[in-house]
Amino acid sequence: MPKLKADPKPPIPEARYPEITKLLETEDFNRVNKNFMATFQALEKMSKMKGLKKASDARKGMKAIERVMDLLRELLKKKYEIMEKNGNSAPQDKK
């Protein structure tokens, strides 16, 4: 009796974030920085208002922007580490 072939394992799905990938590849953060800065400044004004629940929400929004920026910096750091591991030189001023 012939052996039955086992079903091949399905491919492991990859998380894909094309906009983030493009941003990290091009390192063109001008638009992101401009939008984040404008939003952060607006939230900062709101956060200083007394007695409003919106002030608390604004502070949370500011913290979220800071975390996203930290994440982008960390992703760039990882990109440069991979580049160096593969024999490519990472830009010195971007580390």
Side-chain angles (χ1 to χ4, degrees):
M1 179 179 238
K3 287 186 175 181
L4 296 174
K5 289 185 180 179
D7 289 334
K9 292 182 182 177
I12 298 172
E14 292 181 31
R16 296 182 189 209
Y17 303 94
E19 292 297 319
I20 300 295
T21 301
K22 181 180 175 184
L23 182 64
L24 293 171
E25 286 174 355
T26 64
E27 296 185 30
D28 183 11
F29 290 95
N30 292 329
R31 184 175 56 106
V32 172
N33 288 337
K34 182 179 175 182
N35 289 332
F36 276 9
M37 186 58 102
T39 303
F40 192 89
Q41 289 172 346
L43 289 170
E44 192 172 38
K45 287 179 186 176
M46 288 176 63
S47 73
K48 294 178 181 176
M49 295 179 181
K50 301 280 185 204
L52 293 177
K53 182 181 180 329
K54 288 183 181 183
S56 174
D57 291 342
R59 285 189 291 276
K60 289 176 186 176
M62 292 167 58
K63 188 66 175 175
I65 289 173
E66 290 171 356
R67 288 181 178 169
V68 169
M69 296 305 289
D70 288 344
L71 176 61
L72 290 173
R73 279 189 283 276
E74 187 64 26
L75 288 171
L76 277 175
K77 181 180 170 186
K78 294 297 180 191
K79 172 188 168 181
Y80 298 144
E81 288 173 4
I82 291 168
M83 287 174 66
E84 287 179 6
K85 185 177 180 181
N86 291 333
N88 301 328
S89 61
Q92 295 300 318
D93 60 333
K94 303 251 182 177
K95 280 185 142 182

